[in-house]
Amino acid sequence: MYSKIKVAAYCRVSTDFSDQLNSLATQRNYFNEYINNHDEWELVEIYYDEGITGTSTKHREGFNRMIADCEAGKIQLILTKEVSRFARNTIDTLTYTRKLSDLGIGVIFMNDGIDTRDKDGELRLSIVKTPHSNRFISYKILQLFVSLNSFLLSSSGLSRSL
């Protein structure tokens, strides 16, 4: 008998306008279904904050409760839509993902294709967060990094100068 991975999701919308609240409900429904469709996962909770800016974690009750539950050993993996839903600034993003990593907890940023459990997860997270104000450029940089990484991994061990 194996034990299931305890999985949580985090959602956030920054305004309480009806279209944003509908987005929050859609996100929560999506994560509920997504997690429950993985036999090896057990849904802990879908944490969320509504009408709260992501620039600081101070007043984000759902986020802070999720972190406290991680520290209490209730969660092993967190799913979130994208990096900007988790935290808006690089310092908070890296501080919390490192803290969670130290606790053995991974974070998957689904739309960004980043899993902090991967060897290059933090580097990819840094690349996406650094030029966050220009998502197109950050995405292109990430694509270049992934292509370069794939090229280097597929090479026959010979070092190549670029």
Side-chain angles (χ1 to χ4, degrees):
M1 183 78 178
Y2 69 95
S3 63
K4 293 185 174 193
I5 298 170
K6 297 179 281 186
V7 181
Y10 178 72
C11 310
R12 181 185 60 79
V13 293
S14 53
T15 68
D16 56 6
F17 294 126
S18 64
D19 61 333
Q20 288 275 298
L21 295 179
N22 287 336
S23 172
L24 180 61
T26 301
Q27 288 179 58
R28 291 174 64 197
N29 289 335
Y30 171 80
F31 282 119
N32 186 46
E33 186 174 321
Y34 187 84
I35 293 168
N36 284 320
N37 282 333
H38 286 78
D39 292 335
E40 69 278 13
W41 290 356
E42 175 186 338
L43 175 61
V44 174
E45 187 174 336
I46 299 172
Y47 299 84
Y48 64 94
D49 289 299
E50 55 186 316
I52 303 290
T53 180
T55 56
S56 170
T57 60
K58 188 175 183 177
H59 301 291
R60 292 166 56 195
E61 292 178 18
F63 183 87
N64 290 317
R65 198 166 48 78
M66 177 183 69
I67 297 299
D69 285 351
C70 288
E71 293 170 333
K74 297 178 181 179
I75 300 169
Q76 296 171 297
L77 179 64
I78 297 169
L79 306 179
T80 192
K81 181 179 175 185
E82 56 192 16
V83 176
S84 67
R85 298 296 90 198
F86 189 78
R88 282 277 187 187
N89 68 66
T90 305
I91 293 171
D92 280 349
T93 300
L94 294 176
T95 297
Y96 281 102
T97 55
R98 286 174 182 164
K99 180 178 187 173
L100 294 167
S101 180
D102 289 345
L103 294 170
I105 300 165
V107 181
I108 298 176
F109 301 95
M110 297 181 70
N111 289 358
D112 299 308
I114 298 171
D115 185 337
T116 62
R117 299 171 300 174
D118 293 341
K119 289 181 183 179
D120 64 349
E122 184 171 314
L123 175 61
R124 295 174 67 207
L125 189 58
S126 298
I127 291 169
V128 169
K129 283 306 293 176
T130 301
H132 183 70
S133 61
N134 191 332
R135 292 182 68 86
F136 178 73
I137 291 173
S138 66
Y139 180 72
K140 288 296 185 189
I141 291 170
L142 182 59
Q143 280 184 316
L144 178 62
F145 171 76
V146 170
S147 297
L148 178 61
N149 194 33
S150 296
F151 170 76
L152 293 174
L153 289 175
S154 67
S155 70
S156 60
L158 300 173
S159 63
R160 299 176 190 260
S161 61
L162 301 175

